[in-house]
Amino acid sequence: NSGPATPYDWLLMEDLPFGRAGSAWFCSNGEYSDCGTNDESGTHTLQSPPITLPADGAHPYLTFTHYMESEPGYDGGNVSFRINGGSWQAVPVAAFEFNPYNTTLRSFSPYGNTNPLAEQEGWTGVGGRWGTSVVRLGELARGGDTIELRFHFGKDVCAGFDGWYVDDFVVYTCPDCDLDGVPDHLEFVFTAFSGFITDMGVHFERGLRLVAPPRAAGDVTLSFTAVGDFSNESEYINVKINNVPFGVVFDSLSMDCPATPGRDTLTIPRSVFNTLVDAGVVHILMSTSTNVNSTLCPDGMYVSLYVEYETERVDVDGNGILDVCEGCARSDMPSLESGHVTKNRYLSLVPGAPGRLTALRVTPADLPPRFEHLEGPQMWVSSPSVVSEEAGRNDVGPPVFNAAPLGCEPVYLDWGAVGPLHVYGDVVVPGAGYEVQAVDLACGIMDEAYYSPRLTITTSQWGDIVGRCDVIPCSPPDGRVDVTTDVTAIVDKFMNRPFAPSKTRTDLAGSVPNAVVDIEDVVYALDAFRGFAYPFEASGGCP
């Protein structure tokens, strides 16, 4: 404690509020002073030992369960931290994943709050129950750091209620079994918090933008907390969603500047919310009604918004484990793209197994003379990129397509979510055959039994781009090279004519295709028409 007139400490207590079992740490907020001779202003600190975060911990977290009953607005507490013995800092409200601070403690002027934590964010007030708070420590420290945490309870000169109880303090790491950068538990429950919004009025809309949030498994509840001028029915907060009026909150609060913040909720039906999600952005905006006086409260008005909902799970058996992490399963076979057409330099396919992490293996199986030595050794499809269908190198779509080079290491992605894919590399040569298989992350790459069945893809004869072109679009390659069809088709693509064949059919140049269609590609098609052999060498497959 900081040495106030009543220098009590945190104690382990039993006989907990609301019949909670066991014991918990407790800091009293009792009325020990006569508000005259004894000034109780001070802080009382409960501090953890140093905790070293694992260097390989996926996502470090802190959780604790607590119950606050303090003099509203004046007495209260928060959590602070320090890294590697450095200076103490308050845990910011943005680091909370669940149950953040509920307000900012009142100021010295004009309220006369002598609490050393005055004007800091924290918990205060009465009327609540036990609740669990969750903090993302990964936003405060890195793996290998030593972190210390402390609960800081502050009092002003006198008066109080019961106090602050803290139980079940745990620091741990959350796994990320599908390696997508999101802790596994957040694949099931989505949360977002706006923080304390203060700059809001009739003509000043503020709120929370959810960019590409997951679809909801049920209705979505918006939870609002506020301190402000809300003493009658004409004083409230307007809520819009994607600029469409949705409802009002705090129209029945009947209080001005409450010391214990007011709470209200709105519910978005699942069907409505998921329609917004499918559009890409859910933007929740708030503004005050005309009669709200935003300057009435001496410390200002604020509103906060918290969103939490269960997501549409990739968990068919409902056991709380992502299906992608359930263990090894034989992968689905990739398929040919719709309306598949053979190409000179690309292998076009559609990966299967959406929702699972897989790698795609390519085996050169039937190569023409000069390349037979490359048959057998496998290669892997590397990370894809988005390529414009326009002929130039720096063009931007639409339309666009996904292209991926071949490499020597497996790349695990949700390939099924990528969609149609065009694979290229120096071992993808004309007049050849290839086998493509998928394998699940959980299976490893050593056991052939877990690879998918083989998809066979062939490439067309060198320079054979199209068949007949008297009808648009041109027909698939016909086994020969003609000036009036094949060479002209590449010229049409070079000129970005709307009826020209795709870039993956007309991109010929380079030992590795360069995703550009230009005069060089036209020249190679002319050479093929004149009977010249395929001009590029292949450096070889993988060891």
Side-chain angles (χ1 to χ4, degrees), residues 233-274:
E233 293 181 357
S234 65
E235 298 169 341
Y236 50 82
I237 297 292
N238 293 297
V239 179
K240 290 183 179 179
I241 300 179
N242 286 15
N243 214 35
V244 176
F246 186 77
V248 300
V249 288
F250 303 116
D251 54 328
S252 59
L253 185 58
S254 301
M255 293 183 67
D256 285 335
C257 313
T260 300
R263 296 181 179 274
D264 208 346
T265 61
L266 284 177
T267 298
I268 308 176
R270 176 194 179 193
S271 59
V272 173
F273 186 82
N274 285 342

mmCIF file of all heavy atoms in Angstrom, residues 233-274:
data_model
loop_
_atom_site.group_PDB
_atom_site.id
_atom_site.type_symbol
_atom_site.label_atom_id
_atom_site.label_comp_id
_atom_site.label_asym_id
_atom_site.label_seq_id
_atom_site.Cartn_x
_atom_site.Cartn_y
_atom_site.Cartn_z
ATOM 1 N N GLU A 233 -36.764 10.561 -21.821
ATOM 2 C CA GLU A 233 -36.957 9.727 -22.999
ATOM 3 C C GLU A 233 -36.530 10.398 -24.297
ATOM 4 O O GLU A 233 -36.362 9.731 -25.318
ATOM 5 C CB GLU A 233 -38.424 9.308 -23.102
ATOM 6 C CG GLU A 233 -38.874 8.368 -21.988
ATOM 7 C CD GLU A 233 -40.324 7.952 -22.153
ATOM 8 O OE1 GLU A 233 -40.982 8.448 -23.104
ATOM 9 O OE2 GLU A 233 -40.797 7.138 -21.338
ATOM 10 N N SER A 234 -36.383 11.703 -24.311
ATOM 11 C CA SER A 234 -35.945 12.395 -25.527
ATOM 12 C C SER A 234 -34.421 12.476 -25.624
ATOM 13 O O SER A 234 -33.897 13.066 -26.573
ATOM 14 C CB SER A 234 -36.540 13.800 -25.574
ATOM 15 O OG SER A 234 -36.021 14.602 -24.510
ATOM 16 N N GLU A 235 -33.745 11.897 -24.632
ATOM 17 C CA GLU A 235 -32.279 11.921 -24.610
ATOM 18 C C GLU A 235 -31.785 10.481 -24.770
ATOM 19 O O GLU A 235 -31.986 9.640 -23.887
ATOM 20 C CB GLU A 235 -31.773 12.532 -23.307
ATOM 21 C CG GLU A 235 -32.214 13.991 -23.148
ATOM 22 C CD GLU A 235 -31.963 14.548 -21.756
ATOM 23 O OE1 GLU A 235 -31.787 13.748 -20.808
ATOM 24 O OE2 GLU A 235 -31.959 15.782 -21.611
ATOM 25 N N TYR A 236 -31.128 10.192 -25.904
ATOM 26 C CA TYR A 236 -30.736 8.814 -26.198
ATOM 27 C C TYR A 236 -29.637 8.812 -27.265
ATOM 28 O O TYR A 236 -29.231 9.864 -27.773
ATOM 29 C CB TYR A 236 -31.941 8.005 -26.668
ATOM 30 C CG TYR A 236 -32.743 8.649 -27.776
ATOM 31 C CD1 TYR A 236 -32.356 8.549 -29.111
ATOM 32 C CD2 TYR A 236 -33.908 9.364 -27.483
ATOM 33 C CE1 TYR A 236 -33.076 9.150 -30.117
ATOM 34 C CE2 TYR A 236 -34.651 9.968 -28.495
ATOM 35 C CZ TYR A 236 -34.230 9.854 -29.820
ATOM 36 O OH TYR A 236 -34.941 10.447 -30.812
ATOM 37 N N ILE A 237 -29.179 7.608 -27.582
ATOM 38 C CA ILE A 237 -28.174 7.413 -28.626
ATOM 39 C C ILE A 237 -28.833 6.739 -29.824
ATOM 40 O O ILE A 237 -29.494 5.706 -29.690
ATOM 41 C CB ILE A 237 -27.013 6.528 -28.121
ATOM 42 C CG1 ILE A 237 -26.280 7.201 -26.961
ATOM 43 C CG2 ILE A 237 -26.031 6.201 -29.252
ATOM 44 C CD1 ILE A 237 -25.511 8.437 -27.343
ATOM 45 N N ASN A 238 -28.663 7.334 -31.006
ATOM 46 C CA ASN A 238 -29.112 6.722 -32.257
ATOM 47 C C ASN A 238 -28.047 5.746 -32.748
ATOM 48 O O ASN A 238 -26.839 6.052 -32.696
ATOM 49 C CB ASN A 238 -29.339 7.789 -33.339
ATOM 50 C CG ASN A 238 -30.497 8.706 -33.019
ATOM 51 O OD1 ASN A 238 -31.632 8.264 -32.931
ATOM 52 N ND2 ASN A 238 -30.204 10.003 -32.847
ATOM 53 N N VAL A 239 -28.473 4.610 -33.243
ATOM 54 C CA VAL A 239 -27.550 3.601 -33.759
ATOM 55 C C VAL A 239 -27.883 3.325 -35.218
ATOM 56 O O VAL A 239 -29.037 3.051 -35.574
ATOM 57 C CB VAL A 239 -27.641 2.293 -32.946
ATOM 58 C CG1 VAL A 239 -26.682 1.245 -33.509
ATOM 59 C CG2 VAL A 239 -27.335 2.562 -31.478
ATOM 60 N N LYS A 240 -26.875 3.436 -36.068
ATOM 61 C CA LYS A 240 -26.993 3.071 -37.477
ATOM 62 C C LYS A 240 -26.071 1.889 -37.763
ATOM 63 O O LYS A 240 -25.010 1.751 -37.135
ATOM 64 C CB LYS A 240 -26.591 4.236 -38.390
ATOM 65 C CG LYS A 240 -27.536 5.407 -38.410
ATOM 66 C CD LYS A 240 -27.034 6.452 -39.416
ATOM 67 C CE LYS A 240 -27.967 7.648 -39.498
ATOM 68 N NZ LYS A 240 -27.440 8.654 -40.469
ATOM 69 N N ILE A 241 -26.459 1.060 -38.729
ATOM 70 C CA ILE A 241 -25.596 -0.020 -39.197
ATOM 71 C C ILE A 241 -25.482 0.121 -40.707
ATOM 72 O O ILE A 241 -26.490 0.104 -41.425
ATOM 73 C CB ILE A 241 -26.145 -1.393 -38.805
ATOM 74 C CG1 ILE A 241 -26.256 -1.489 -37.281
ATOM 75 C CG2 ILE A 241 -25.247 -2.504 -39.348
ATOM 76 C CD1 ILE A 241 -26.809 -2.808 -36.790
ATOM 77 N N ASN A 242 -24.233 0.305 -41.169
ATOM 78 C CA ASN A 242 -23.972 0.573 -42.586
ATOM 79 C C ASN A 242 -24.858 1.705 -43.101
ATOM 80 O O ASN A 242 -25.479 1.623 -44.161
ATOM 81 C CB ASN A 242 -24.150 -0.694 -43.424
ATOM 82 C CG ASN A 242 -22.996 -1.671 -43.221
ATOM 83 O OD1 ASN A 242 -22.222 -1.533 -42.283
ATOM 84 N ND2 ASN A 242 -22.896 -2.653 -44.092
ATOM 85 N N ASN A 243 -24.920 2.748 -42.260
ATOM 86 C CA ASN A 243 -25.608 4.008 -42.569
ATOM 87 C C ASN A 243 -27.133 3.885 -42.631
ATOM 88 O O ASN A 243 -27.810 4.798 -43.101
ATOM 89 C CB ASN A 243 -25.096 4.598 -43.890
ATOM 90 C CG ASN A 243 -25.085 6.116 -43.859
ATOM 91 O OD1 ASN A 243 -24.819 6.727 -42.817
ATOM 92 N ND2 ASN A 243 -25.379 6.731 -44.984
ATOM 93 N N VAL A 244 -27.678 2.774 -42.142
ATOM 94 C CA VAL A 244 -29.134 2.606 -42.090
ATOM 95 C C VAL A 244 -29.574 2.654 -40.630
ATOM 96 O O VAL A 244 -29.038 1.920 -39.795
ATOM 97 C CB VAL A 244 -29.562 1.266 -42.720
ATOM 98 C CG1 VAL A 244 -31.068 1.055 -42.575
ATOM 99 C CG2 VAL A 244 -29.160 1.234 -44.190
ATOM 100 N N PRO A 245 -30.533 3.524 -40.243
ATOM 101 C CA PRO A 245 -30.989 3.571 -38.843
ATOM 102 C C PRO A 245 -31.439 2.191 -38.363
ATOM 103 O O PRO A 245 -32.184 1.486 -39.058
ATOM 104 C CB PRO A 245 -32.150 4.561 -38.901
ATOM 105 C CG PRO A 245 -31.858 5.429 -40.080
ATOM 106 C CD PRO A 245 -31.217 4.525 -41.084
ATOM 107 N N PHE A 246 -30.963 1.818 -37.154
ATOM 108 C CA PHE A 246 -31.270 0.488 -36.639
ATOM 109 C C PHE A 246 -32.041 0.513 -35.323
ATOM 110 O O PHE A 246 -32.859 -0.347 -35.050
ATOM 111 C CB PHE A 246 -29.969 -0.305 -36.447
ATOM 112 C CG PHE A 246 -30.188 -1.727 -36.049
ATOM 113 C CD1 PHE A 246 -30.572 -2.670 -36.983
ATOM 114 C CD2 PHE A 246 -30.028 -2.128 -34.724
ATOM 115 C CE1 PHE A 246 -30.789 -3.993 -36.612
ATOM 116 C CE2 PHE A 246 -30.244 -3.440 -34.344
ATOM 117 C CZ PHE A 246 -30.624 -4.375 -35.300
ATOM 118 N N GLY A 247 -31.775 1.490 -34.455
ATOM 119 C CA GLY A 247 -32.464 1.557 -33.177
ATOM 120 C C GLY A 247 -31.874 2.631 -32.296
ATOM 121 O O GLY A 247 -31.017 3.413 -32.717
ATOM 122 N N VAL A 248 -32.356 2.704 -31.045
ATOM 123 C CA VAL A 248 -31.855 3.666 -30.073
ATOM 124 C C VAL A 248 -31.539 2.931 -28.775
ATOM 125 O O VAL A 248 -32.114 1.883 -28.477
ATOM 126 C CB VAL A 248 -32.858 4.800 -29.807
ATOM 127 C CG1 VAL A 248 -33.158 5.551 -31.091
ATOM 128 C CG2 VAL A 248 -34.139 4.266 -29.187
ATOM 129 N N VAL A 249 -30.600 3.493 -28.005
ATOM 130 C CA VAL A 249 -30.261 2.962 -26.685
ATOM 131 C C VAL A 249 -30.207 4.107 -25.689
ATOM 132 O O VAL A 249 -30.052 5.267 -26.063
ATOM 133 C CB VAL A 249 -28.919 2.205 -26.692
ATOM 134 C CG1 VAL A 249 -29.056 0.875 -27.426
ATOM 135 C CG2 VAL A 249 -27.814 3.047 -27.330
ATOM 136 N N PHE A 250 -30.368 3.777 -24.431
ATOM 137 C CA PHE A 250 -30.342 4.716 -23.301
ATOM 138 C C PHE A 250 -31.536 5.668 -23.286
ATOM 139 O O PHE A 250 -31.493 6.700 -22.624
ATOM 140 C CB PHE A 250 -29.026 5.511 -23.246
ATOM 141 C CG PHE A 250 -27.809 4.636 -23.164
ATOM 142 C CD1 PHE A 250 -26.873 4.616 -24.177
ATOM 143 C CD2 PHE A 250 -27.632 3.791 -22.085
ATOM 144 C CE1 PHE A 250 -25.761 3.795 -24.109
ATOM 145 C CE2 PHE A 250 -26.527 2.964 -22.007
ATOM 146 C CZ PHE A 250 -25.585 2.960 -23.020
ATOM 147 N N ASP A 251 -32.619 5.306 -23.984
ATOM 148 C CA ASP A 251 -33.810 6.143 -23.935
ATOM 149 C C ASP A 251 -34.592 5.952 -22.642
ATOM 150 O O ASP A 251 -35.540 6.696 -22.372
ATOM 151 C CB ASP A 251 -34.706 5.866 -25.132
ATOM 152 C CG ASP A 251 -35.070 4.398 -25.275
ATOM 153 O OD1 ASP A 251 -34.248 3.545 -24.899
ATOM 154 O OD2 ASP A 251 -36.172 4.109 -25.778
ATOM 155 N N SER A 252 -34.202 4.960 -21.832
ATOM 156 C CA SER A 252 -34.896 4.738 -20.554
ATOM 157 C C SER A 252 -33.924 4.699 -19.384
ATOM 158 O O SER A 252 -34.236 4.146 -18.335
ATOM 159 C CB SER A 252 -35.692 3.426 -20.612
ATOM 160 O OG SER A 252 -34.851 2.325 -20.886
ATOM 161 N N LEU A 253 -32.742 5.309 -19.542
ATOM 162 C CA LEU A 253 -31.749 5.290 -18.462
ATOM 163 C C LEU A 253 -32.193 6.137 -17.277
ATOM 164 O O LEU A 253 -31.963 5.786 -16.119
ATOM 165 C CB LEU A 253 -30.400 5.789 -18.986
ATOM 166 C CG LEU A 253 -29.214 5.737 -18.023
ATOM 167 C CD1 LEU A 253 -28.976 4.323 -17.522
ATOM 168 C CD2 LEU A 253 -27.952 6.275 -18.698
ATOM 169 N N SER A 254 -32.829 7.279 -17.533
ATOM 170 C CA SER A 254 -33.372 8.166 -16.486
ATOM 171 C C SER A 254 -32.309 8.640 -15.505
ATOM 172 O O SER A 254 -32.573 8.809 -14.320
ATOM 173 C CB SER A 254 -34.506 7.457 -15.720
ATOM 174 O OG SER A 254 -35.542 7.085 -16.594
ATOM 175 N N MET A 255 -31.096 8.851 -15.987
ATOM 176 C CA MET A 255 -30.025 9.335 -15.119
ATOM 177 C C MET A 255 -29.105 10.257 -15.905
ATOM 178 O O MET A 255 -28.883 10.053 -17.097
ATOM 179 C CB MET A 255 -29.192 8.169 -14.550
ATOM 180 C CG MET A 255 -29.921 7.262 -13.586
ATOM 181 S SD MET A 255 -28.821 5.977 -12.906
ATOM 182 C CE MET A 255 -27.711 6.992 -11.926
ATOM 183 N N ASP A 256 -28.583 11.261 -15.237
ATOM 184 C CA ASP A 256 -27.568 12.131 -15.812
ATOM 185 C C ASP A 256 -26.224 11.820 -15.162
ATOM 186 O O ASP A 256 -26.125 11.781 -13.925
ATOM 187 C CB ASP A 256 -27.910 13.607 -15.565
ATOM 188 C CG ASP A 256 -29.039 14.092 -16.456
ATOM 189 O OD1 ASP A 256 -29.221 13.497 -17.537
ATOM 190 O OD2 ASP A 256 -29.729 15.056 -16.064
ATOM 191 N N CYS A 257 -25.197 11.605 -15.975
ATOM 192 C CA CYS A 257 -23.817 11.457 -15.498
ATOM 193 C C CYS A 257 -23.698 10.429 -14.371
ATOM 194 O O CYS A 257 -23.138 10.733 -13.311
ATOM 195 C CB CYS A 257 -23.258 12.800 -15.041
ATOM 196 S SG CYS A 257 -23.555 14.167 -16.188
ATOM 197 N N PRO A 258 -24.245 9.201 -14.535
ATOM 198 C CA PRO A 258 -24.195 8.234 -13.442
ATOM 199 C C PRO A 258 -22.764 7.855 -13.090
ATOM 200 O O PRO A 258 -21.914 7.721 -13.966
ATOM 201 C CB PRO A 258 -24.974 7.038 -13.993
ATOM 202 C CG PRO A 258 -24.845 7.163 -15.482
ATOM 203 C CD PRO A 258 -24.845 8.633 -15.759
ATOM 204 N N ALA A 259 -22.498 7.702 -11.788
ATOM 205 C CA ALA A 259 -21.165 7.301 -11.346
ATOM 206 C C ALA A 259 -20.890 5.848 -11.713
ATOM 207 O O ALA A 259 -19.757 5.481 -12.018
ATOM 208 C CB ALA A 259 -21.031 7.505 -9.841
ATOM 209 N N THR A 260 -21.911 4.994 -11.635
ATOM 210 C CA THR A 260 -21.809 3.643 -12.177
ATOM 211 C C THR A 260 -22.384 3.691 -13.577
ATOM 212 O O THR A 260 -23.560 3.984 -13.752
ATOM 213 C CB THR A 260 -22.591 2.625 -11.331
ATOM 214 O OG1 THR A 260 -22.069 2.611 -9.998
ATOM 215 C CG2 THR A 260 -22.476 1.233 -11.937
ATOM 216 N N PRO A 261 -21.584 3.448 -14.624
ATOM 217 C CA PRO A 261 -22.055 3.661 -15.994
ATOM 218 C C PRO A 261 -23.321 2.873 -16.306
ATOM 219 O O PRO A 261 -23.542 1.770 -15.798
ATOM 220 C CB PRO A 261 -20.877 3.168 -16.845
ATOM 221 C CG PRO A 261 -19.684 3.300 -15.946
ATOM 222 C CD PRO A 261 -20.176 3.004 -14.573
ATOM 223 N N GLY A 262 -24.176 3.472 -17.146
ATOM 224 C CA GLY A 262 -25.382 2.798 -17.598
ATOM 225 C C GLY A 262 -25.074 1.792 -18.689
ATOM 226 O O GLY A 262 -24.067 1.898 -19.398
ATOM 227 N N ARG A 263 -25.970 0.792 -18.827
ATOM 228 C CA ARG A 263 -25.784 -0.254 -19.836
ATOM 229 C C ARG A 263 -27.069 -0.435 -20.625
ATOM 230 O O ARG A 263 -28.173 -0.276 -20.098
ATOM 231 C CB ARG A 263 -25.384 -1.578 -19.184
ATOM 232 C CG ARG A 263 -24.034 -1.520 -18.473
ATOM 233 C CD ARG A 263 -23.672 -2.883 -17.860
ATOM 234 N NE ARG A 263 -22.384 -2.843 -17.194
ATOM 235 C CZ ARG A 263 -21.222 -3.041 -17.787
ATOM 236 N NH1 ARG A 263 -21.201 -3.311 -19.094
ATOM 237 N NH2 ARG A 263 -20.088 -2.998 -17.123
ATOM 238 N N ASP A 264 -26.928 -0.806 -21.911
ATOM 239 C CA ASP A 264 -28.072 -1.107 -22.755
ATOM 240 C C ASP A 264 -27.595 -2.033 -23.875
ATOM 241 O O ASP A 264 -26.389 -2.155 -24.126
ATOM 242 C CB ASP A 264 -28.680 0.168 -23.328
ATOM 243 C CG ASP A 264 -30.171 0.024 -23.625
ATOM 244 O OD1 ASP A 264 -30.667 -1.124 -23.633
ATOM 245 O OD2 ASP A 264 -30.825 1.051 -23.849
ATOM 246 N N THR A 265 -28.543 -2.678 -24.562
ATOM 247 C CA THR A 265 -28.197 -3.625 -25.623
ATOM 248 C C THR A 265 -29.135 -3.473 -26.803
ATOM 249 O O THR A 265 -30.263 -2.991 -26.678
ATOM 250 C CB THR A 265 -28.268 -5.088 -25.136
ATOM 251 O OG1 THR A 265 -29.603 -5.376 -24.711
ATOM 252 C CG2 THR A 265 -27.295 -5.340 -23.998
ATOM 253 N N LEU A 266 -28.662 -3.886 -27.967
ATOM 254 C CA LEU A 266 -29.468 -4.071 -29.171
ATOM 255 C C LEU A 266 -29.084 -5.418 -29.779
ATOM 256 O O LEU A 266 -27.927 -5.847 -29.663
ATOM 257 C CB LEU A 266 -29.207 -2.967 -30.202
ATOM 258 C CG LEU A 266 -29.822 -1.587 -29.958
ATOM 259 C CD1 LEU A 266 -29.373 -0.629 -31.059
ATOM 260 C CD2 LEU A 266 -31.338 -1.668 -29.929
ATOM 261 N N THR A 267 -30.042 -6.064 -30.422
ATOM 262 C CA THR A 267 -29.784 -7.359 -31.034
ATOM 263 C C THR A 267 -29.982 -7.268 -32.540
ATOM 264 O O THR A 267 -31.007 -6.772 -33.020
ATOM 265 C CB THR A 267 -30.716 -8.434 -30.455
ATOM 266 O OG1 THR A 267 -30.465 -8.554 -29.051
ATOM 267 C CG2 THR A 267 -30.467 -9.786 -31.123
ATOM 268 N N ILE A 268 -28.988 -7.756 -33.290
ATOM 269 C CA ILE A 268 -29.076 -7.829 -34.743
ATOM 270 C C ILE A 268 -29.434 -9.264 -35.117
ATOM 271 O O ILE A 268 -28.701 -10.196 -34.774
ATOM 272 C CB ILE A 268 -27.749 -7.442 -35.419
ATOM 273 C CG1 ILE A 268 -27.233 -6.101 -34.904
ATOM 274 C CG2 ILE A 268 -27.909 -7.400 -36.928
ATOM 275 C CD1 ILE A 268 -25.878 -5.717 -35.460
ATOM 276 N N PRO A 269 -30.542 -9.492 -35.801
ATOM 277 C CA PRO A 269 -30.860 -10.857 -36.225
ATOM 278 C C PRO A 269 -29.743 -11.461 -37.069
ATOM 279 O O PRO A 269 -29.068 -10.754 -37.839
ATOM 280 C CB PRO A 269 -32.143 -10.690 -37.045
ATOM 281 C CG PRO A 269 -32.734 -9.407 -36.557
ATOM 282 C CD PRO A 269 -31.570 -8.525 -36.210
ATOM 283 N N ARG A 270 -29.554 -12.747 -36.904
ATOM 284 C CA ARG A 270 -28.465 -13.428 -37.615
ATOM 285 C C ARG A 270 -28.529 -13.196 -39.118
ATOM 286 O O ARG A 270 -27.507 -12.910 -39.755
ATOM 287 C CB ARG A 270 -28.532 -14.925 -37.313
ATOM 288 C CG ARG A 270 -27.501 -15.750 -38.079
ATOM 289 C CD ARG A 270 -27.801 -17.224 -38.016
ATOM 290 N NE ARG A 270 -26.824 -17.993 -38.755
ATOM 291 C CZ ARG A 270 -26.964 -19.265 -39.082
ATOM 292 N NH1 ARG A 270 -28.065 -19.906 -38.725
ATOM 293 N NH2 ARG A 270 -26.031 -19.906 -39.757
ATOM 294 N N SER A 271 -29.725 -13.329 -39.706
ATOM 295 C CA SER A 271 -29.841 -13.199 -41.150
ATOM 296 C C SER A 271 -29.419 -11.813 -41.624
ATOM 297 O O SER A 271 -28.753 -11.666 -42.657
ATOM 298 C CB SER A 271 -31.279 -13.502 -41.598
ATOM 299 O OG SER A 271 -32.197 -12.617 -40.972
ATOM 300 N N VAL A 272 -29.798 -10.790 -40.854
ATOM 301 C CA VAL A 272 -29.423 -9.422 -41.212
ATOM 302 C C VAL A 272 -27.920 -9.234 -41.089
ATOM 303 O O VAL A 272 -27.257 -8.673 -41.978
ATOM 304 C CB VAL A 272 -30.170 -8.409 -40.317
ATOM 305 C CG1 VAL A 272 -29.668 -6.987 -40.568
ATOM 306 C CG2 VAL A 272 -31.674 -8.504 -40.548
ATOM 307 N N PHE A 273 -27.353 -9.719 -39.977
ATOM 308 C CA PHE A 273 -25.920 -9.535 -39.760
ATOM 309 C C PHE A 273 -25.110 -10.244 -40.843
ATOM 310 O O PHE A 273 -24.148 -9.684 -41.380
ATOM 311 C CB PHE A 273 -25.536 -10.061 -38.376
ATOM 312 C CG PHE A 273 -24.100 -9.794 -38.006
ATOM 313 C CD1 PHE A 273 -23.721 -8.568 -37.499
ATOM 314 C CD2 PHE A 273 -23.132 -10.766 -38.177
ATOM 315 C CE1 PHE A 273 -22.396 -8.306 -37.166
ATOM 316 C CE2 PHE A 273 -21.806 -10.524 -37.849
ATOM 317 C CZ PHE A 273 -21.444 -9.289 -37.344
ATOM 318 N N ASN A 274 -25.474 -11.476 -41.177
ATOM 319 C CA ASN A 274 -24.691 -12.225 -42.159
ATOM 320 C C ASN A 274 -24.803 -11.631 -43.556
ATOM 321 O O ASN A 274 -23.866 -11.728 -44.360
ATOM 322 C CB ASN A 274 -25.111 -13.697 -42.156
ATOM 323 C CG ASN A 274 -24.576 -14.431 -40.935
ATOM 324 O OD1 ASN A 274 -23.653 -13.965 -40.275
ATOM 325 N ND2 ASN A 274 -25.157 -15.565 -40.629
#
